[in-house]
Amino acid sequence: MDAKELRALQTPLKERYRKDPGEAMSTLSASGTVGEEISFEVPTWNGVARAGLHPLTGGDGTLACSGDMLLQALVACAGVTLRAVATAMEIPLRGARISVEGDLDFRGTLGVSKEVPVGFGSIRVQFELDSDATREQLEKLIQITERYCVVMQTLRAPPAIAVKILSSGS
């Protein structure tokens, strides 16, 4: 797909959303069910992902770790956004690789220390780009990619999360 084809796809959408902002709203969803042992099964577009304990919390490493899945979602979102932005900016990419690392102190999630937060303390994103574009063009590409990457922006400015309990028991 080139920039002209991308614009042809997105221009009518942008016009519709400018005219009626409510048309741009969508509720994405995910759900899952408890699995065997200590696991949870999450349907995905490509089959069921079975999530379990990370080896540093007692897992054996055979099931997906939700922390890894979060980082993978960041890679996927940044990658698709990078590709769309590069196309729109007409920056040819021969190749691109995005690597994400996150530092997690498992004492927090295991309740070993109340002073240690639960969750990632830091996340690093690295873009390796194979392109003849100038350094300035590549910096602008990454800047715009960061701005429009849904997962990155959600991690940077977390939304309010509401929790509700539904119980079929007493």
Side-chain angles (χ1 to χ4, degrees):
M1 179 177 300
D2 63 19
K4 184 178 177 181
E5 293 168 318
L6 180 60
R7 276 191 287 280
L9 284 174
Q10 292 184 337
T11 296
L13 294 171
K14 290 179 180 184
E15 289 172 3
R16 189 169 102 209
Y17 301 158
R18 283 186 188 103
K19 189 181 293 183
D20 184 357
E23 287 287 313
M25 294 299 299
S26 180
T27 299
L28 306 183
S29 65
S31 64
T33 55
V34 70
E36 296 178 12
E37 302 289 321
I38 299 178
S39 71
F40 212 79
E41 296 180 357
V42 182
T44 73
W45 65 272
N46 197 31
V48 174
R50 291 190 62 230
L53 295 172
H54 185 279
L56 292 179
T57 64
D60 64 8
T62 61
L63 301 178
C65 165
S66 53
D68 290 332
M69 293 168 75
L70 176 71
L71 298 180
Q72 291 160 356
L74 177 55
V75 166
C77 187
V80 170
T81 306
L82 172 78
R83 193 69 177 120
V85 172
T87 299
M89 292 178 67
E90 298 182 335
I91 295 176
L93 292 176
R94 282 185 297 275
R97 177 179 172 81
I98 300 173
S99 303
V100 175
E101 295 178 329
D103 298 322
L104 191 66
D105 186 334
F106 285 97
R107 293 176 300 162
T109 194
L110 286 175
V112 171
S113 171
K114 292 184 190 260
E115 289 75 43
V116 176
V118 176
F120 288 98
S122 64
I123 295 175
R124 293 169 300 286
V125 181
Q126 179 175 296
F127 292 86
E128 297 173 50
L129 306 174
D130 184 5
S131 175
D132 292 328
T134 67
R135 183 73 182 178
E136 293 77 24
Q137 288 174 309
L138 294 177
E139 287 173 359
K140 186 69 171 174
L141 171 62
I142 299 306
Q143 177 187 28
I144 295 171
T145 296
E146 287 183 58
R147 179 177 177 189
Y148 292 111
C149 176
V150 171
V151 174
M152 188 178 297
Q153 291 305 318
T154 301
L155 289 169
R156 285 187 169 152
I161 297 177
V163 176
K164 183 190 327 186
I165 300 172
L166 303 176
S167 176
S168 60
S170 43

Short mmCIF file of all heavy atoms in Angstrom, two decimals, residues 105-147:
data_model
loop_
_atom_site.label_atom_id
_atom_site.label_comp_id
_atom_site.label_asym_id
_atom_site.label_seq_id
_atom_site.Cartn_x
_atom_site.Cartn_y
_atom_site.Cartn_z
N ASP A 105 9.93 -6.16 39.08
CA ASP A 105 10.43 -6.74 40.32
C ASP A 105 9.33 -7.64 40.87
O ASP A 105 8.28 -7.17 41.32
CB ASP A 105 10.77 -5.62 41.32
CG ASP A 105 11.44 -6.13 42.58
OD1 ASP A 105 11.23 -7.31 42.94
OD2 ASP A 105 12.15 -5.33 43.23
N PHE A 106 9.54 -8.94 40.78
CA PHE A 106 8.51 -9.90 41.14
C PHE A 106 8.22 -9.96 42.64
O PHE A 106 7.25 -10.58 43.06
CB PHE A 106 8.86 -11.29 40.60
CG PHE A 106 8.64 -11.40 39.11
CD1 PHE A 106 9.70 -11.23 38.24
CD2 PHE A 106 7.39 -11.65 38.60
CE1 PHE A 106 9.50 -11.32 36.87
CE2 PHE A 106 7.17 -11.74 37.24
CZ PHE A 106 8.23 -11.57 36.36
N ARG A 107 9.02 -9.27 43.45
CA ARG A 107 8.69 -9.20 44.88
C ARG A 107 7.36 -8.50 45.09
O ARG A 107 6.61 -8.82 46.01
CB ARG A 107 9.79 -8.47 45.67
CG ARG A 107 11.11 -9.22 45.71
CD ARG A 107 12.17 -8.42 46.42
NE ARG A 107 12.37 -7.15 45.72
CZ ARG A 107 12.98 -6.09 46.25
NH1 ARG A 107 13.43 -6.13 47.50
NH2 ARG A 107 13.15 -4.99 45.55
N GLY A 108 7.03 -7.55 44.19
CA GLY A 108 5.76 -6.83 44.31
C GLY A 108 4.57 -7.74 44.07
O GLY A 108 3.65 -7.80 44.88
N THR A 109 4.57 -8.46 42.95
CA THR A 109 3.43 -9.30 42.62
C THR A 109 3.30 -10.52 43.53
O THR A 109 2.20 -11.06 43.70
CB THR A 109 3.47 -9.73 41.13
OG1 THR A 109 2.19 -10.25 40.77
CG2 THR A 109 4.52 -10.75 40.85
N LEU A 110 4.39 -10.94 44.15
CA LEU A 110 4.32 -12.06 45.09
C LEU A 110 4.05 -11.60 46.53
O LEU A 110 3.93 -12.43 47.42
CB LEU A 110 5.62 -12.87 45.05
CG LEU A 110 5.81 -13.75 43.82
CD1 LEU A 110 7.17 -14.43 43.83
CD2 LEU A 110 4.69 -14.79 43.72
N GLY A 111 3.96 -10.29 46.73
CA GLY A 111 3.68 -9.79 48.08
C GLY A 111 4.83 -9.95 49.05
O GLY A 111 4.63 -9.93 50.25
N VAL A 112 6.04 -10.09 48.52
CA VAL A 112 7.22 -10.25 49.38
C VAL A 112 7.55 -8.94 50.08
O VAL A 112 7.99 -8.91 51.22
CB VAL A 112 8.44 -10.74 48.55
CG1 VAL A 112 9.71 -10.72 49.36
CG2 VAL A 112 8.16 -12.15 48.01
N SER A 113 7.34 -7.82 49.37
CA SER A 113 7.63 -6.51 49.92
C SER A 113 6.53 -5.53 49.53
O SER A 113 6.26 -5.35 48.34
CB SER A 113 8.98 -6.00 49.38
OG SER A 113 9.18 -4.65 49.74
N LYS A 114 5.90 -4.93 50.52
CA LYS A 114 4.85 -3.95 50.24
C LYS A 114 5.42 -2.67 49.65
O LYS A 114 4.69 -1.87 49.07
CB LYS A 114 4.06 -3.65 51.51
CG LYS A 114 3.25 -4.84 51.98
CD LYS A 114 2.41 -4.48 53.19
CE LYS A 114 1.82 -5.73 53.78
NZ LYS A 114 0.49 -6.01 53.46
N GLU A 115 6.72 -2.45 49.79
CA GLU A 115 7.35 -1.25 49.25
C GLU A 115 7.62 -1.36 47.74
O GLU A 115 7.84 -0.37 47.07
CB GLU A 115 8.68 -0.94 49.97
CG GLU A 115 8.51 -0.44 51.39
CD GLU A 115 8.14 -1.54 52.38
OE1 GLU A 115 8.71 -2.65 52.31
OE2 GLU A 115 7.23 -1.30 53.20
N VAL A 116 7.62 -2.57 47.23
CA VAL A 116 7.90 -2.80 45.81
C VAL A 116 6.57 -2.76 45.05
O VAL A 116 5.65 -3.52 45.35
CB VAL A 116 8.60 -4.16 45.59
CG1 VAL A 116 8.78 -4.44 44.10
CG2 VAL A 116 9.94 -4.19 46.30
N PRO A 117 6.47 -1.86 44.07
CA PRO A 117 5.22 -1.79 43.31
C PRO A 117 4.97 -3.04 42.47
O PRO A 117 5.91 -3.72 42.06
CB PRO A 117 5.40 -0.57 42.41
CG PRO A 117 6.82 -0.16 42.51
CD PRO A 117 7.46 -0.89 43.64
N VAL A 118 3.70 -3.32 42.23
CA VAL A 118 3.30 -4.40 41.34
C VAL A 118 3.26 -3.80 39.94
O VAL A 118 2.65 -2.76 39.72
CB VAL A 118 1.91 -4.96 41.72
CG1 VAL A 118 1.47 -6.01 40.72
CG2 VAL A 118 1.94 -5.51 43.14
N GLY A 119 3.92 -4.42 39.00
CA GLY A 119 3.92 -3.93 37.63
C GLY A 119 5.30 -3.51 37.18
O GLY A 119 6.28 -3.57 37.92
N PHE A 120 5.35 -3.08 35.93
CA PHE A 120 6.63 -2.66 35.33
C PHE A 120 7.09 -1.34 35.93
O PHE A 120 6.31 -0.40 36.05
CB PHE A 120 6.49 -2.51 33.81
CG PHE A 120 6.38 -3.82 33.09
CD1 PHE A 120 5.15 -4.33 32.72
CD2 PHE A 120 7.51 -4.57 32.81
CE1 PHE A 120 5.04 -5.54 32.07
CE2 PHE A 120 7.42 -5.79 32.16
CZ PHE A 120 6.17 -6.28 31.79
N GLY A 121 8.37 -1.29 36.27
CA GLY A 121 8.96 -0.05 36.77
C GLY A 121 9.43 0.84 35.64
O GLY A 121 9.42 2.06 35.73
N SER A 122 9.84 0.21 34.55
CA SER A 122 10.26 0.97 33.37
C SER A 122 10.12 0.08 32.14
O SER A 122 10.18 -1.15 32.24
CB SER A 122 11.71 1.46 33.50
OG SER A 122 12.60 0.36 33.56
N ILE A 123 9.88 0.74 31.01
CA ILE A 123 9.77 0.05 29.73
C ILE A 123 10.60 0.83 28.73
O ILE A 123 10.54 2.05 28.68
CB ILE A 123 8.30 -0.03 29.26
CG1 ILE A 123 7.49 -0.91 30.24
CG2 ILE A 123 8.21 -0.58 27.84
CD1 ILE A 123 5.99 -0.95 29.92
N ARG A 124 11.39 0.10 27.95
CA ARG A 124 12.23 0.71 26.92
C ARG A 124 11.82 0.18 25.55
O ARG A 124 11.64 -1.03 25.39
CB ARG A 124 13.70 0.39 27.19
CG ARG A 124 14.23 1.05 28.46
CD ARG A 124 15.60 0.53 28.86
NE ARG A 124 15.64 -0.91 29.13
CZ ARG A 124 15.14 -1.50 30.22
NH1 ARG A 124 14.55 -0.77 31.15
NH2 ARG A 124 15.23 -2.80 30.39
N VAL A 125 11.68 1.09 24.60
CA VAL A 125 11.30 0.72 23.23
C VAL A 125 12.45 1.11 22.31
O VAL A 125 12.94 2.25 22.37
CB VAL A 125 10.01 1.45 22.79
CG1 VAL A 125 9.62 1.05 21.38
CG2 VAL A 125 8.88 1.18 23.77
N GLN A 126 12.89 0.19 21.49
CA GLN A 126 13.98 0.46 20.55
C GLN A 126 13.51 0.20 19.13
O GLN A 126 12.96 -0.87 18.84
CB GLN A 126 15.18 -0.45 20.87
CG GLN A 126 16.35 -0.25 19.94
CD GLN A 126 17.53 -1.08 20.38
OE1 GLN A 126 18.07 -0.85 21.45
NE2 GLN A 126 17.94 -2.04 19.56
N PHE A 127 13.71 1.18 18.26
CA PHE A 127 13.36 1.06 16.85
C PHE A 127 14.64 0.88 16.05
O PHE A 127 15.56 1.71 16.16
CB PHE A 127 12.66 2.33 16.36
CG PHE A 127 11.30 2.56 16.95
CD1 PHE A 127 11.14 3.20 18.16
CD2 PHE A 127 10.17 2.14 16.26
CE1 PHE A 127 9.88 3.43 18.70
CE2 PHE A 127 8.90 2.36 16.79
CZ PHE A 127 8.76 3.00 18.01
N GLU A 128 14.73 -0.18 15.26
CA GLU A 128 15.85 -0.39 14.34
C GLU A 128 15.25 -0.25 12.94
O GLU A 128 14.41 -1.06 12.54
CB GLU A 128 16.45 -1.77 14.50
CG GLU A 128 17.06 -2.03 15.86
CD GLU A 128 17.49 -3.48 16.01
OE1 GLU A 128 18.19 -3.99 15.11
OE2 GLU A 128 17.11 -4.09 17.02
N LEU A 129 15.67 0.78 12.22
CA LEU A 129 15.08 1.08 10.93
C LEU A 129 16.10 0.96 9.81
O LEU A 129 17.21 1.47 9.93
CB LEU A 129 14.50 2.50 10.94
CG LEU A 129 13.51 2.79 12.08
CD1 LEU A 129 13.12 4.25 12.07
CD2 LEU A 129 12.30 1.89 11.98
N ASP A 130 15.72 0.31 8.75
CA ASP A 130 16.55 0.20 7.55
C ASP A 130 15.89 1.07 6.49
O ASP A 130 14.86 0.69 5.90
CB ASP A 130 16.64 -1.25 7.09
CG ASP A 130 17.57 -1.44 5.90
OD1 ASP A 130 18.23 -0.46 5.49
OD2 ASP A 130 17.62 -2.57 5.38
N SER A 131 16.45 2.26 6.28
CA SER A 131 15.84 3.23 5.38
C SER A 131 16.90 4.21 4.90
O SER A 131 17.88 4.46 5.59
CB SER A 131 14.73 4.00 6.12
OG SER A 131 14.19 5.01 5.31
N ASP A 132 16.66 4.77 3.73
CA ASP A 132 17.54 5.83 3.21
C ASP A 132 17.08 7.21 3.65
O ASP A 132 17.65 8.22 3.22
CB ASP A 132 17.59 5.77 1.67
CG ASP A 132 18.31 4.52 1.19
OD1 ASP A 132 19.25 4.07 1.89
OD2 ASP A 132 17.94 4.01 0.11
N ALA A 133 16.04 7.28 4.47
CA ALA A 133 15.54 8.57 4.95
C ALA A 133 16.61 9.27 5.79
O ALA A 133 17.50 8.63 6.35
CB ALA A 133 14.28 8.35 5.78
N THR A 134 16.49 10.58 5.88
CA THR A 134 17.42 11.36 6.69
C THR A 134 17.16 11.11 8.17
O THR A 134 16.09 10.62 8.55
CB THR A 134 17.27 12.87 6.42
OG1 THR A 134 15.98 13.29 6.89
CG2 THR A 134 17.43 13.19 4.94
N ARG A 135 18.11 11.46 8.99
CA ARG A 135 17.96 11.31 10.44
C ARG A 135 16.75 12.12 10.92
O ARG A 135 15.97 11.64 11.76
CB ARG A 135 19.24 11.78 11.14
CG ARG A 135 19.21 11.61 12.64
CD ARG A 135 19.33 10.17 12.98
NE ARG A 135 19.26 9.99 14.42
CZ ARG A 135 19.30 8.83 15.01
NH1 ARG A 135 19.44 7.74 14.29
NH2 ARG A 135 19.23 8.71 16.30
N GLU A 136 16.58 13.30 10.38
CA GLU A 136 15.45 14.16 10.77
C GLU A 136 14.12 13.51 10.40
O GLU A 136 13.16 13.55 11.17
CB GLU A 136 15.56 15.55 10.11
CG GLU A 136 16.73 16.39 10.60
CD GLU A 136 18.08 15.98 10.01
OE1 GLU A 136 18.13 15.38 8.91
OE2 GLU A 136 19.10 16.24 10.67
N GLN A 137 14.05 12.91 9.21
CA GLN A 137 12.82 12.23 8.79
C GLN A 137 12.51 11.04 9.71
O GLN A 137 11.36 10.83 10.10
CB GLN A 137 12.94 11.73 7.35
CG GLN A 137 12.90 12.81 6.31
CD GLN A 137 13.18 12.25 4.92
OE1 GLN A 137 14.16 11.54 4.71
NE2 GLN A 137 12.30 12.57 3.98
N LEU A 138 13.54 10.29 10.07
CA LEU A 138 13.34 9.13 10.94
C LEU A 138 12.92 9.56 12.35
O LEU A 138 12.06 8.94 12.97
CB LEU A 138 14.59 8.27 10.99
CG LEU A 138 14.97 7.60 9.67
CD1 LEU A 138 16.27 6.82 9.83
CD2 LEU A 138 13.86 6.70 9.15
N GLU A 139 13.51 10.64 12.84
CA GLU A 139 13.11 11.15 14.15
C GLU A 139 11.65 11.60 14.15
O GLU A 139 10.91 11.34 15.09
CB GLU A 139 14.05 12.28 14.59
CG GLU A 139 15.42 11.78 14.99
CD GLU A 139 16.44 12.89 15.26
OE1 GLU A 139 16.09 14.09 15.13
OE2 GLU A 139 17.58 12.54 15.60
N LYS A 140 11.24 12.28 13.08
CA LYS A 140 9.84 12.71 12.95
C LYS A 140 8.93 11.48 12.85
O LYS A 140 7.84 11.45 13.44
CB LYS A 140 9.69 13.61 11.71
CG LYS A 140 8.32 14.22 11.58
CD LYS A 140 8.09 15.24 12.66
CE LYS A 140 6.81 16.02 12.41
NZ LYS A 140 6.50 16.93 13.50
N LEU A 141 9.35 10.47 12.10
CA LEU A 141 8.59 9.23 11.97
C LEU A 141 8.35 8.60 13.34
O LEU A 141 7.21 8.22 13.67
CB LEU A 141 9.34 8.25 11.06
CG LEU A 141 8.81 6.82 10.98
CD1 LEU A 141 7.40 6.79 10.42
CD2 LEU A 141 9.75 5.96 10.15
N ILE A 142 9.38 8.52 14.15
CA ILE A 142 9.25 7.92 15.49
C ILE A 142 8.40 8.80 16.38
O ILE A 142 7.55 8.31 17.14
CB ILE A 142 10.63 7.63 16.12
CG1 ILE A 142 11.41 6.64 15.25
CG2 ILE A 142 10.49 7.14 17.56
CD1 ILE A 142 10.67 5.34 14.95
N GLN A 143 8.58 10.10 16.30
CA GLN A 143 7.78 11.03 17.11
C GLN A 143 6.28 10.86 16.81
O GLN A 143 5.46 10.77 17.72
CB GLN A 143 8.22 12.47 16.82
CG GLN A 143 7.42 13.52 17.54
CD GLN A 143 7.79 14.93 17.09
OE1 GLN A 143 8.22 15.15 15.97
NE2 GLN A 143 7.62 15.89 17.98
N ILE A 144 5.93 10.77 15.55
CA ILE A 144 4.52 10.62 15.17
C ILE A 144 4.01 9.23 15.53
O ILE A 144 2.88 9.05 15.97
CB ILE A 144 4.32 10.94 13.68
CG1 ILE A 144 4.64 12.42 13.43
CG2 ILE A 144 2.89 10.64 13.23
CD1 ILE A 144 4.69 12.82 11.97
N THR A 145 4.87 8.23 15.35
CA THR A 145 4.50 6.87 15.74
C THR A 145 4.17 6.82 17.23
O THR A 145 3.15 6.24 17.63
CB THR A 145 5.64 5.88 15.40
OG1 THR A 145 5.81 5.85 13.98
CG2 THR A 145 5.35 4.48 15.91
N GLU A 146 5.01 7.41 18.05
CA GLU A 146 4.75 7.43 19.49
C GLU A 146 3.43 8.14 19.79
O GLU A 146 2.65 7.68 20.63
CB GLU A 146 5.88 8.16 20.23
CG GLU A 146 7.17 7.37 20.31
CD GLU A 146 8.22 8.11 21.10
OE1 GLU A 146 7.95 8.42 22.29
OE2 GLU A 146 9.29 8.40 20.54
N ARG A 147 3.18 9.24 19.10
CA ARG A 147 1.97 10.03 19.36
C ARG A 147 0.70 9.25 19.07
O ARG A 147 -0.30 9.40 19.76
CB ARG A 147 2.00 11.30 18.50
CG ARG A 147 0.78 12.16 18.67
CD ARG A 147 0.88 13.42 17.87
NE ARG A 147 -0.33 14.19 18.00
CZ ARG A 147 -0.61 15.25 17.30
NH1 ARG A 147 0.24 15.68 16.40
NH2 ARG A 147 -1.74 15.89 17.47
#
